[in-house]
Amino acid sequence: QIPASAGAAKATGGAISFYGGKTIHTFLSSGTFVTSSNWNNPDSVEYLIIAGGGSGGGRNGGAGGGAGGVVPGTTTLSHPTSYAVTVGGGGASMSSANNPGIQGTPSVFGPGPISATGGGYGGDGVKSPGVGGAGGSGGGGGESPPGAGGAGAGFPGPTQQGHPGGDGAGPPIFGGGGGGGFGGAGGDGSPTIGGVGGIGAQLPTTFRNPVSATSLGTPGPGPATFFVAGGGGGGTENSNPGGGAGGYGGGGNAPGTGSGLNGTTNTGGGGGGASVYNSDPSVSGSGGSGIVLIAYPT
């Protein structure tokens, strides 16, 4: 690992760190990436663009929000040149009114520019048609009528940014579908429980600086870390046995009663769907904001 020294960077913008022979720029919020006069044209950049996650659907078995789209890749930049960086925000939580969630907003970087699509919203638990919104990953479908999960951008195929959301289910307990994640589809709701959020995925090895293990991404299965872009869990209409868990990578859980939990900040995680029991005033979880990571040889 190379000691951090901003003076060694060939560009400005974001938080600068050094790891594995690369200079890494981490954008937790929107800004500008500016190549300096010492930029070497053959130096291509590796990037990872994650959009904001969608929020979960409103109460009565609202579905989980889909994770923000994930776009990895490489590109060559000119110098000295400025490139706008937009970090997408998560969809806002929904009140106790029976409404679908809100789609996350895109994250954008580089020439072109290159854009990741915001996560799809979770479907409403009661109002027809209750379908989940399409997005980077699709939002889950609401528990009634029930609704179908939303599509993931580019799925299936080489340009996919995420997976679809799960479908909702009808009585007796009415489970909303889980939101899709970058690593897997959201689980279908069942007549007894809300669907789980789709699993996210680990950051590419370039960006897994051990120093950042507690600040980038979330824990994954077993000892894994640096997980991002998990889908939100689907809510239920009754408390037994409960809502669906959010996917690894920042997806918000959906407790069996009460409000869905928010997607984790700067992971693009989807928000958990709202549940209801005896008319509790629950709200859905908001989507987590996105992130933009850029790396090049030091």
Side-chain angles (χ1 to χ4, degrees):
Q1 181 177 343
I2 300 170
S5 171
K10 301 175 186 176
T12 60
I16 300 173
S17 60
F18 299 83
Y19 173 67
K22 299 290 183 69
T23 302
I24 301 170
H25 294 247
T26 300
F27 286 85
L28 303 179
S29 59
S30 299
T32 307
F33 182 84
V34 184
T35 59
S36 304
S37 58
N38 64 340
W39 186 266
N40 186 7
N41 275 336
D43 284 347
S44 64
V45 299
E46 178 181 0
Y47 58 81
L48 185 74
I49 306 171
I50 303 177
S55 62
R59 63 182 295 194
N60 285 16
V70 179
V71 179
T74 61
T75 189
T76 301
L77 306 179
S78 60
H79 75 283
T81 307
S82 298
Y83 298 90
V85 176
T86 301
V87 174
S93 66
M94 294 308 300
S95 70
S96 58
N98 297 319
N99 289 311
I102 296 176
Q103 183 173 4
T105 58
S107 290
V108 183
F109 164 68
I114 306 157
S115 180
T117 304
Y121 58 79
D124 168 70
V126 174
K127 291 181 181 178
S128 180
V131 297
S137 284
E143 48 107 281
S144 181
F155 178 87
T159 62
Q160 72 182 53
Q161 299 184 22
H163 284 74
D167 297 337
I173 293 181
F174 306 93
F182 182 60
D188 293 340
S190 79
T192 58
I193 193 169
V196 298
I199 191 172
Q202 276 188 302
L203 295 176
T205 55
T206 296
F207 303 109
R208 295 183 211 166
N209 185 344
V211 174
S212 305
T214 59
S215 59
L216 288 182
T218 70
T225 53
F226 295 107
F227 263 68
V228 292
T236 60
E237 187 165 345
N238 295 294
S239 64
N240 186 13
Y248 291 112
N253 293 337
T257 58
S259 301
L261 302 187
N262 298 335
T264 303
T265 302
N266 295 126
T267 67
S275 298
V276 65
Y277 185 65
N278 290 337
S279 301
D280 64 324
S282 56
V283 299
S284 70
S286 62
S289 56
I291 191 171
V292 174
L293 301 168
I294 305 165
Y296 53 83
T298 298

